[in-house]
Amino acid sequence: MRKNIVWIIVLLLIAIRSQAGITRIDPPFWWVGMRNPEVQLMIYGENIAGANVVIDCEEILIKRIIRGVSDRYLFIDLEMKPGLIPGFYKLKLSRDKKILGEYSFEFKARQAGSANRPRFDARDAIYMIMPDRFANGNPDNDNIASMLEKADRNRPNGRHGGDIAGIRQHLDYIANLGFTALWINPLLENNMPRYSYHGYAITDFYAIDPRFGTLDDYRSLINEAHDKGIKIIKDMVLNHCGTNHFWVKDPPSADWLNQWKVFTRTNYRSTTLVDPYRSEYDMDLMVKGWFDRSMADLNQNNPLLATYLIQNSIWWIEHTGLDGIRMDTQPYPFKDFMANWGKAILEEYPDFFMVGEAWLNKASLVAYYQKNALTHDDYNSYMPSVFDFPLNGALLAAFNEADGWENGVAKLYETLVEDFLYPNPNHLVTFLDNHDKSRYFNVVGEDLNKLKMALTFLFTTRGIPSVYYGTELLMTGSAQPEHGEIRKDFPGGWPGDATNAFLAAGRNASQNEIHTLIQKLIQLRSSHSCLSHGKLTHFVPNDGVYVYFRYTPDECIMVVLNNQTSETTLQTKRFNEKLGAYRKMTNLLTGEESEIAEKLQLKGKSASVFMLGK
């Protein structure tokens, strides 16, 4: 009965809005009891900018009414007083004493504990999914009449039909691999005529793209993932929107977008934000230039837009139960806005996980974007985590080149040496590849041993490991000339697929070997706290052999990477400062036990993980 009443209210609200020419109100609802007692409504409709607004509740104060350049926008700042109870409250719009309409706006009750999300740290392991390419659980939503681009699996850059239903149907697969977090590329509406499957050209910041499913589907996915011990990370974009967004066609103000007389692309030089000698011209081009012709650059220096974007992030966290946010193109929006965004999220959710994509190749530059970094201009991003692109660069080269003073596995050593630059290196997200980079198996020449070494390093070094879907299937593909090659469909995710790689029987021997290795490494990481939270001591690589230790007061693990192609004898005396207290060693990947000897035989191109025992 209650559900029917709610639907009647919703239908009446839609009918009233239609009569008065109101197209939308963002956010569509809010919550009582937020730490910030204010919310700003953006009302969009015909000839409303000059309207007066009243609300039928003494516990809701209209602090300010802001009228845009366009007569189709009205912004209202509301303050919720402590006595406000959850419910629907009427907003009345009038002009010249004539009522234009009455609108019910809901303030919901917060769920208990919603401000305190589970901590996200180096005990977690992230599995990354491009939803259009993972699994098609509901073919009925492949094509939607109101959506411009239709599905076509024959086009590498077309829509293939993967959706939220497909992810829900395969959560057990992800959980059985051992992953505790799922990063999903954007699921918001991208109603663009072409190349819309990736999700980064958003045309509605409050709507799930119907080709992926519904908002209820998304919330169900999150709840089901939580039941299986999997956290959900939402991919967010604050730098730009799709050119089919109504803001582009009808902006609220002249400075809502970063406009140019002719199309002007960003120079992609995010170093200019850190550079003490930068020119204003170069920095302006970086942050104001458009990322692509299909992606209109947003001007977050506009305070109304800044509030809109911050509230939108909070809305998604509160309404869906998100556990984390991956921030796309972190340096590209105005950096002061990004700091305000991060601060606002942490004020509402103190332990919330956020990781920024600061795609820079030097630790000194990436560190600038992590929360509480020591910076030359006192900038604080309030971003708890950033992606470790410098370590990724080292991994791309380490097992492919001859070892030398700074080459081969020495690149891993030299990169970790610079960890003193990061406020918290153990919160960096580490990875072999992602949706924008060539597949790692492709980079290492489809060499299974090199991939094993890289995965072993990824799961035993510091940081939070992230794995791109299909790595466990030895997927290949180059990012050039187009990204469709690195975003192939997961075999078995579509009805009628020739093979089903979700099942062991659908994978070949090599695929199952890597699949099992990832399971084993995640299990080791979760069962041995020294691999997630232990200290790290490493030794300068010698003759292509890199040795490091992860340890706590209660346990110690020794990792040995042999980058030489032939079998190698390792003299262990050099490591006595760590080995001296132990007598036995167990290879955690093979189960072999032995006494610690002066010499250790290593297979060529191999990784070994030893638990030390007394």
Side-chain angles (χ1 to χ4, degrees), residues 17 41 66 132 154-155 165 179 206 236 243 253 269 300 324 342 388 403-404 409 453 496 514 529 568 572:
R17 286 181 180 175
L41 306 185
I66 310 103
D132 183 65
N154 294 318
R155 291 173 51 231
F179 289 99
Y206 279 98
M236 285 194 173
T243 49
S253 62
R269 292 285 188 175
Q300 303 85 9
D388 194 346
D403 290 281
V409 287
M453 294 174 72
I514 295 300
S529 61
T568 302
T572 61

Side-chain angles (χ1 to χ4, degrees), residues 513-563:
E513 188 176 357
I514 295 300
H515 191 279
T516 300
L517 176 63
I518 291 173
Q519 280 182 317
K520 182 68 173 177
L521 289 168
I522 295 177
Q523 190 275 328
L524 291 178
R525 192 177 179 91
S526 64
S527 59
H528 297 288
S529 61
C530 66
L531 290 178
S532 59
H533 284 72
K535 293 182 179 180
L536 168 65
T537 294
H538 62 173
F539 290 77
V540 177
N542 188 16
D543 293 331
V545 179
Y546 181 32
V547 177
Y548 56 94
F549 296 79
R550 302 296 306 277
Y551 55 96
T552 65
D554 300 319
E555 60 181 5
C556 183
I557 285 178
M558 175 187 184
V559 182
V560 183
L561 302 178
N562 179 22
N563 203 31

Side-chain angles (χ1 to χ4, degrees), residues 192 198 200-201 240-243 290-297:
M192 303 291 289
H198 53 69
Y200 291 96
H240 48 261
C241 66
T243 49
W290 286 28
F291 204 80
D292 190 75
R293 287 183 178 274
S294 62
M295 299 173 182
D297 203 69

Side-chain angles (χ1 to χ4, degrees), residues 2-55:
R2 178 179 173 82
K3 186 178 290 186
N4 291 336
I5 293 173
V6 171
W7 272 111
I8 291 170
I9 292 172
V10 170
L11 292 172
L12 286 173
L13 177 58
I14 293 171
I16 293 171
R17 286 181 180 175
S18 299
Q19 293 171 12
I22 298 299
T23 304
R24 63 187 297 147
I25 297 178
D26 290 340
F29 50 81
W30 203 247
W31 294 269
V32 171
M34 302 295 280
R35 297 188 183 189
N36 179 1
E38 296 185 10
V39 62
Q40 184 175 94
L41 306 185
M42 185 194 79
I43 302 178
Y44 181 64
E46 289 298 323
N47 302 313
I48 62 168
N52 293 315
V53 183
V54 296
I55 193 163

